Amino acid sequence: MLNFEIVTRTDFSDVTYLLEIRHPLMAKAARPGQFVIVMEHEHGERIPLTIADFDRDKGTVTLVIQAVGKTTREMQQNCQVGTHLHAMVGPMGVPSHIGQARKVVCVGGGLGVAPIFPQARAYKESGAYVIGVLGFRNKSLMFWDDKFRACCDELIVCTDDGSAGIQGLVTEGIRQAIARHPDIDEVVAIGPPIMMKGCAEATRAHGIKTMVSLNPVMVDGTGMCGGCRVKIGEQIKFACVDGPDFDGHQVDFDDLMARLGRYKPTEKAALESWKESCRIRGGAGH
Amino acid sequence: MAKKKTIRTIPQARTAMPEQSPQARVKNFEEVACGYRLEDALLEAQRCLDCADQPCVRGCPVGIDIPGFIKKIEGKNFHGAYDVITDTNLLPSVCGRVCPQENQCEGVCTVGETLEPVAIGRLERFVGDMAIAEGWANVPYIERNRFKVGIVGSGPAGMACAADMAKAGCEVTVYEAFHEPGGVLKYGIPDFRLPNRVVDVEIEKLTRLGIRFECNTLVGRLFTVEQMLGEMGFHAVFIGTGAGYPSFMGIPGESLGGVLSANEWLTRCNLMRGRDFPNFDTPLQPGKRVAVIGAGNTAMDAMRVSLRVGAEKVYCIYRRSAAEAPARAEEIHHAQQEGVDFQWLTSPVELLGDADHNVRAMRCERMALGEPDASGRRRPVAVPGSTFEFECDMVVFAIGTNANPILGQTSGLKLDKRGYIATDANLATSIAGVYAGGDIVTGAATVIEAMGAGRKAARGMKAHLGLRDTDSVYLHDSADAADRLFGIDRRERGFARVHLA
């Protein structure tokens, strides 16, 4: 039986946290680029999270989560070592294609740094020359740079304010990498849609193949609702079963970003109502 | 029993079923049809002529002994009626509610040639609901064998197949990708037609047969069908994953906010309980003016859910006329009563958005019926110059589904040209020991057809495993039906089974 026990928790910052969850079968099956859907409790919603790492020996799967709304904040508060998730299903999506590329740039922006890690490692294991480009708003939000150093031939850390690495967006890191290495075969980018759009634009003129991992709204994650549909060229694809990886030069990012905004008002209402209930419960306790 | 009934001596009118009024029910998710009371059931049971040729039994996809259970009701032996039904159908409360009986058992009822047919579905539901209320469950004597059977998908097809294989003595595990079992019965069909608690009770009964339900398990990704047969040690596998993968039309504006598939809309509302937001976390954002495209049962459900979560105006947009609509007549009637505005012979051409990328209007054109197409239905053709627009802030596509690609991507299963799983007449797939049935083989169909497919596949699996099929071996040579218990001949007990290598 599956029980989804949380065996490790690490806080990277006051908004970013890591959960390592026991699920031996999934640890065995998971491949880079795949994701899970979790429900924290019975009244919860189903949220997609990319698999940031997996340990087949320990039988665990690692998720890195940013507290942005009701569910992720509530999980930040409640998901402690020894507690259990109500549901976790996966691995979902088509695994990233680790092809024959000999020189690869792996770009992670913010929380996207976590899911790009298994890909960087897989490329390294396939014998490619791997350049990591990690972007954070500032040094205090930085995490896993040591993990990347261990599997990358070069690592470029970018911060918006220059408090670590070079100052600038990840696109600046990509520009520097391309300037140094004219023979880059492929760029893989994971992060906020606006960042992935920027990466796709940065490589388009150079004709470098660029794969991105899309993050639309999802419900079931198994291809039965189409909530995650995205425009790829002229076609409609479901990110949960046809993706989540797509050719960045084909993706309609504006459409993706507009669709991501659909539930903003209800998301805000959910967060407000939760904060209110926390305040009342917290107050009663004192 | 008194002397032989005739069409003249039985109650002439079909016994009405109490219903919530349209004004009341459109504000709640309680069941529309409240079910027969005891006196209603006894009265209606008298209408069955117990005719010799029993067309109703052949009209039922799973072949329930309909006159048999109705006679038990007439004799006030309700538990006996339940036993008769559950010989062939383990989910009477579900099927009595959602089967399209007018095309099945009731459609061929002898009484129906002269009067309204016997209300078989309502009687079946009455018995099923009484069993739930009284806590009856048929747990048959099961002779264990050494076979392990895996079922992929816990919808009606998977449940029916699981039940038959468990009764045959196999160790059965059902894998479900969602966090709760039930498939379309849970996420799709709304509570006002089929309460989720009814589904839960029926599933609980299946667990008493020893069937294990493993939720949160996405077969094809967590492990493959081939792994089930290999390292996981299953001797046979049944695939009943449903169709899923909703269709869109490919018209401009489909990616606007507020445009979604009926599957997404119903899942958010029914399974995830978005209608109770923020008590439940899944947001719903219901529209005030909702256009639902399509006129099948799913479209009716989507429209009626929309009304219940606060829509002021709901349109049904369908390119053919009412006569061709695939939904049950009763569902269309209920939707009309509740105030849905049916726009027959109308086809959308474009969805128009506002500055925030949300849908604000739909542009349609009127259609006329032309020559019959390959399916025999008259093909709708656009009327030139008939384009018009109307305002709406939500659009739901309920125009059908395509095959889900996951198992095709991850296994060596042969697919047909539309992407559904290819099977032979016994529902065997291209992989030995793997059977498939329901929507993933036929495309979207009905609950009872899926159950029928699950049972048919179970017969094929039993033959494959070398298990005797009590239904086909003993059903006809058994002189007395009372000699059978829960569908298994009493003489079957202790029968030593031989697995043909």
Side-chain angles (χ1 to χ4, degrees):
Chain A
M1 287 297 277
L2 309 167
N3 66 6
F4 322 119
E5 184 194 357
I6 294 162
V7 295
T8 308
R9 167 167 169 156
T10 312
D11 289 85
F12 291 139
S13 70
D14 51 0
V15 289
T16 315
Y17 55 101
L18 172 152
L19 301 177
E20 190 179 359
I21 295 149
R22 188 182 316 284
H23 195 319
L25 264 184
M26 199 187 298
K28 208 172 119 196
R31 311 256 302 276
Q34 292 188 297
F35 65 95
V36 295
I37 285 196
V38 304
M39 269 176 96
E40 197 221 324
H41 53 72
E42 276 188 337
H43 285 208
E45 59 178 338
R46 295 167 64 89
I47 62 162
L49 297 165
T50 311
I51 297 172
D53 202 359
F54 42 85
D55 187 323
R56 301 200 210 269
D57 298 330
K58 270 170 78 186
T60 61
V61 170
T62 299
L63 308 174
V64 178
I65 303 161
Q66 190 167 19
V68 290
K70 194 252 176 182
T71 296
T72 46
R73 288 205 197 190
E74 191 178 33
M75 285 175 68
Q76 186 182 29
Q77 191 173 84
N78 298 341
C79 290
Q80 306 296 339
V81 172
T83 64
H84 303 253
L85 293 173
H86 176 62
M88 176 164 85
V89 56
M92 292 168 144
V94 179
S96 300
H97 179 67
I98 306 297
Q100 300 303 310
R102 302 322 301 157
K103 197 170 263 189
V104 181
V105 183
C106 292
V107 189
L111 201 67
V113 164
I116 201 73
F117 172 73
Q119 297 209 43
R121 184 175 58 187
Y123 270 112
K124 188 68 208 161
E125 285 167 359
S126 81
Y129 184 91
V130 180
I131 304 159
V133 176
L134 309 183
F136 301 97
R137 279 212 310 280
N138 58 57
K139 190 178 177 182
S140 76
L141 297 171
M142 187 164 75
F143 65 94
W144 278 13
D145 48 319
D146 49 339
K147 261 180 106 142
F148 277 88
R149 258 179 247 286
C151 76
C152 293
D153 296 281
E154 287 176 44
L155 185 65
I156 304 171
V157 173
C158 315
T159 50
D160 294 5
D161 61 0
S163 53
I166 62 172
Q167 184 182 357
L169 304 173
V170 289
T171 44
E172 174 58 21
I174 294 173
R175 198 191 60 73
Q176 289 188 10
I178 294 174
R180 278 207 290 276
H181 301 278
D183 55 343
I184 290 168
D185 297 310
E186 189 170 338
V187 172
V188 187
I190 306 182
I194 188 77
M195 180 215 99
M196 292 191 286
K197 183 184 181 185
C199 295
E201 291 316 315
T203 59
R204 196 189 294 275
H206 299 275
I208 301 171
K209 181 185 170 192
T210 301
M211 295 302 289
V212 294
S213 174
L214 301 188
N215 58 344
V217 172
M218 287 189 189
V219 183
D220 60 291
T222 63
M224 57 76 80
C225 90
C228 64
R229 62 194 191 278
V230 288
K231 270 194 197 163
I232 309 296
E234 289 303 302
Q235 289 185 299
I236 298 293
K237 297 277 187 188
F238 290 4
C240 72
V241 291
D242 301 316
D245 290 358
F246 293 101
D247 177 351
H249 295 152
Q250 298 285 320
V251 172
D252 185 337
F253 283 102
D254 296 334
D255 187 75
L256 173 69
M257 288 185 273
R259 283 175 56 77
L260 280 168
R262 169 63 181 176
Y263 291 95
K264 283 264 152 63
T266 22
E267 284 163 5
K268 194 158 168 256
L271 183 58
E272 291 308 319
S273 117
W274 177 71
K275 280 191 194 156
E276 181 65 15
S277 74
C278 289
R279 196 182 59 78
I280 291 165
R281 260 187 287 131
H286 291 289
Chain B
M1 188 69 52
K3 72 177 199 218
K4 184 84 183 135
K5 286 187 278 188
T6 70
I7 198 81
R8 287 176 208 279
T9 64
I10 60 170
Q12 301 290 291
R14 188 178 163 105
T15 313
M17 177 141 72
E19 272 185 1
Q20 281 197 74
S21 77
Q23 298 75 23
R25 72 192 190 219
V26 77
K27 294 188 176 67
N28 67 48
F29 275 83
E30 300 300 311
E31 279 196 273
V32 168
C34 309
Y36 273 169
R37 293 157 300 195
L38 187 69
E39 61 269 30
D40 298 325
L42 292 173
L43 185 63
E44 185 62 22
Q46 289 176 33
R47 299 185 69 237
C48 175
L49 292 172
D50 195 17
C51 52
D53 61 342
Q54 305 190 334
C56 53
V57 179
R58 292 191 302 279
C60 171
V62 297
I64 297 175
D65 175 7
I66 292 165
F69 91 79
I70 294 181
K71 220 181 326 180
K72 298 276 192 207
I73 295 178
E74 231 185 324
K76 298 193 182 174
N77 177 1
F78 303 113
H79 202 312
Y82 180 68
D83 289 344
V84 171
I85 295 174
T86 48
D87 265 0
T88 41
N89 179 10
L90 278 156
L91 309 171
S93 285
V94 172
C95 295
R97 284 174 169 84
V98 302
C99 278
Q101 289 102 3
E102 64 274 21
N103 303 327
Q104 299 173 338
C105 53
E106 294 178 13
V108 291
C109 169
T110 308
V111 175
E113 290 168 16
T114 318
L115 307 168
E116 275 192 290
V118 176
I120 300 165
R122 294 172 181 180
L123 290 171
E124 183 188 19
R125 169 181 166 174
F126 169 78
V127 173
D129 286 358
M130 182 177 264
I132 290 175
E134 301 290 328
W136 300 335
N138 274 342
V139 183
Y141 172 85
I142 293 175
E143 172 95 8
R144 288 273 168 217
N145 60 41
R146 60 182 183 83
F147 295 120
K148 271 178 75 177
V149 172
I151 310 276
V152 186
S154 68
M159 281 197 240
C161 186
D164 277 9
M165 296 314 286
K167 286 202 276 185
C170 301
E171 182 189 327
V172 179
T173 308
V174 181
Y175 294 108
E176 166 60 42
F178 264 128
H179 51 284
E180 290 179 25
V184 71
L185 306 177
K186 283 290 241 335
Y187 77 75
I189 302 174
D191 286 67
F192 55 81
R193 282 215 293 137
L194 174 63
N196 276 356
R197 65 180 156 72
V198 170
V199 183
D200 287 332
V201 174
E202 302 274 37
I203 288 170
E204 208 275 318
K205 287 184 183 166
L206 295 183
T207 65
R208 293 197 216 173
L209 298 177
I211 299 168
R212 277 201 317 156
F213 285 86
E214 292 274 7
C215 293
N216 299 300
T217 307
L218 182 59
V219 178
R221 301 269 188 229
L222 190 61
F223 45 80
T224 63
V225 172
E226 281 88 345
Q227 279 176 294
M228 290 176 74
L229 290 171
E231 63 206 70
M232 293 171 75
F234 287 104
H235 299 95
V237 171
F238 173 76
I239 299 171
T241 49
Y245 215 88
S247 302
F248 291 86
M249 292 176 73
I251 57 175
E254 283 179 358
S255 65
L256 291 167
V259 179
L260 67 178
S261 74
N263 269 4
E264 180 180 354
W265 177 236
L266 293 171
T267 302
R268 282 178 182 273
C269 194
N270 299 336
L271 181 74
M272 303 310 297
R273 300 279 299 275
R275 64 174 196 255
D276 296 331
F277 180 87
N279 188 22
F280 284 73
D281 292 338
T282 301
L284 209 56
Q285 249 176 27
K288 288 285 167 214
R289 297 171 66 86
V290 180
V292 176
I293 302 166
N297 289 319
T298 309
M300 301 304 140
D301 287 343
M303 291 186 262
R304 299 172 68 198
V305 160
S306 301
L307 288 165
R308 283 161 176 75
V309 294
E312 286 155 10
K313 182 85 188 170
V314 173
Y315 300 93
C316 173
I317 310 292
Y318 185 54
R319 63 200 182 112
R320 300 176 198 255
S321 69
E324 289 84 24
R328 296 183 69 184
E330 185 189 349
E331 299 304 323
I332 295 177
H333 177 64
H334 277 148
Q336 270 163 342
Q337 283 183 327
E338 290 170 13
V340 168
D341 182 342
F342 283 85
Q343 297 284 319
W344 305 112
L345 291 164
T346 304
S347 186
V349 291
E350 185 177 1
L351 310 179
L352 308 166
D354 62 16
D356 296 325
H357 199 75
N358 288 320
V359 64
R360 65 167 175 83
M362 180 189 279
R363 183 174 296 151
C364 293
E365 60 187 356
R366 298 293 185 192
M367 312 298 280
L369 290 180
E371 295 300 306
D373 63 12
S375 73
R377 295 191 301 179
R378 292 175 65 192
R379 187 192 305 274
V381 285
V383 176
S386 64
T387 309
F388 68 102
E389 279 176 30
F390 64 95
E391 281 178 32
C392 57
D393 54 5
M394 191 171 123
V395 174
V396 180
F397 279 89
I399 56 170
T401 52
N402 296 309
N404 188 299
I406 294 179
L407 287 179
Q409 282 172 4
T410 59
S411 75
L413 283 168
K414 187 166 176 283
L415 307 177
D416 68 17
K417 57 183 186 298
R418 300 173 308 156
Y420 291 95
I421 295 178
T423 63
D424 69 10
N426 296 319
L427 298 181
T429 68
S430 60
I431 301 179
V434 180
Y435 291 72
D439 289 4
I440 192 61
V441 170
T442 55
T446 63
V447 168
I448 192 74
E449 283 171 294
M451 292 183 64
R455 304 204 68 209
K456 187 174 175 186
R459 284 196 287 278
M461 292 165 90
K462 286 184 224 174
H464 171 75
L465 296 172
L467 295 173
R468 294 190 67 179
D469 187 336
T470 51
D471 281 344
S472 60
V473 174
Y474 282 110
L475 192 59
H476 301 294
D477 25 348
S478 178
D480 181 7
D483 206 22
R484 292 165 63 242
L485 194 61
F486 314 118
I488 297 175
D489 196 288
R490 288 184 194 274
R491 283 168 292 177
E492 271 291 273
R493 291 193 184 186
F495 179 77
R497 296 189 171 93
V498 180
H499 183 214
L500 303 172

